[in-house]
Amino acid sequence: PVAHPDDVVARVVELMLATGQGRIPVTDPATGRLVGLLARKDLLRIHAGTSRAEEERQAYFPAGRRG
């Protein structure tokens, strides 16, 4: 299994889970040339960054005020 540079992260996660692979090569779809490698560690780093951003996000409605 391979991923392409324009694939979304969820697709790569699904590939890893379906195949049991810890690393997925990223290839140029036009040439098949290897352009990178995604590892579980990379995906965990992305997940940690988005989780941290969500925790730090300010509430849309301040406490006690709704719509």
Side-chain angles (χ1 to χ4, degrees):
V2 298
H4 302 293
D6 58 346
D7 285 345
V8 294
V9 171
R11 180 177 182 278
V12 179
V13 170
E14 289 175 12
L15 278 174
M16 285 183 175
L17 291 173
T19 63
Q21 297 293 317
R23 295 181 194 98
I24 300 289
V26 180
T27 61
D28 181 316
T31 65
R33 183 175 178 202
L34 181 68
V35 295
L37 186 68
L38 279 171
R40 281 191 186 117
K41 184 176 178 179
D42 300 320
L43 299 178
L44 289 171
R45 202 175 285 134
I46 291 168
H47 176 71
T50 56
S51 293
R52 192 169 25 259
E54 183 65 21
E55 289 171 6
E56 295 171 358
R57 183 176 61 90
Q58 296 294 316
Y60 184 74
F61 294 108
R65 294 184 65 200
R66 296 261 173 182

